[in-house]
Amino acid sequence: MSAAVLLFLARVLLLLLLYLFLYLVVRTLRQDLRRAVHNAASGPGLLPAPPAVEPAASSLGLELIDAGQAPLRPGQRYSLRDPLLIGRSARNDITLEDDWISAEHLRLRRLHGAWLAEDLGSTNGTRLNGRPLKGAARVRAGDVLDLGRITFKLVEQG
């Protein structure tokens, strides 16, 4: 083959690789955008505020059963608000000083009148009634949430 033909083939190959690269970049950006839109729709602060008259499910609270090594008192109660964030970071509504708790560990939120617990990708996970919590799950009075070494029970307030 002549040098001109080899040069032409090299240019075509380079052009194909460039188009492949651009295709992969655009596909990745579209996936990230879809994921961001999905997360924004289910995340805090971007949904309409709950109605002023709330169903009875809002009378739930959290009672600390076992504080692990955190400097908290068992029996301490926390009112639920929508959304309620729990974790090690000071940005959370309930801050837990425990090495087994992630910075943003758990979110409790309301959806259609029911409370949902959602693990936020914590390192050590969350257990609901002794079972690993995957995604979001409905919670009711009497349910037990284990976050690292700390245990909460959902209780009726009134």
Side-chain angles (χ1 to χ4, degrees):
M1 277 200 222
S2 71
V5 172
L6 287 176
L7 184 60
F8 175 75
L9 291 175
R11 287 180 181 170
V12 169
L13 180 62
L14 182 62
L15 189 61
L16 288 173
L17 289 174
L18 179 62
Y19 279 120
L20 177 64
F21 173 75
L22 290 174
Y23 167 76
L24 293 173
V25 167
V26 169
R27 189 179 82 178
T28 302
L29 288 174
R30 288 183 68 194
Q31 288 173 345
D32 287 348
L33 183 59
R34 285 183 184 147
R35 189 175 303 119
V37 167
H38 179 276
N39 290 343
S42 64
L46 297 178
L47 294 177
V53 178
E54 298 182 347
S58 66
S59 64
L60 285 179
L62 285 176
E63 181 178 343
L64 183 64
I65 302 299
D66 185 354
Q69 295 179 348
L72 300 170
R73 293 184 345 262
Q76 191 169 352
R77 289 193 173 203
Y78 302 89
S79 296
L80 293 188
R81 65 180 197 157
D82 185 20
L84 180 85
L85 297 172
I86 302 173
R88 203 173 59 238
S89 169
R91 296 177 299 208
N92 293 296
D93 301 302
I94 299 175
T95 303
L96 302 173
E97 297 174 21
D98 188 297
D99 293 341
W100 287 49
I101 303 295
S102 295
E104 294 175 349
H105 198 101
L106 180 77
R107 173 176 39 221
L108 289 162
R109 63 184 173 100
R110 290 186 51 144
L111 182 65
H112 305 298
W115 283 101
L116 299 177
E118 179 181 10
D119 186 273
L120 299 174
S122 63
T123 303
N124 294 309
T126 302
R127 288 175 307 288
L128 173 60
N129 298 323
R131 294 185 176 154
L133 179 62
K134 302 293 182 196
R138 185 175 181 173
V139 292
R140 298 172 184 85
D143 287 342
V144 175
L145 289 166
D146 295 301
L147 291 76
R149 297 179 281 203
I150 298 174
T151 303
F152 288 100
K153 183 175 185 177
L154 282 119
V155 295
E156 290 285 340
Q157 289 188 328

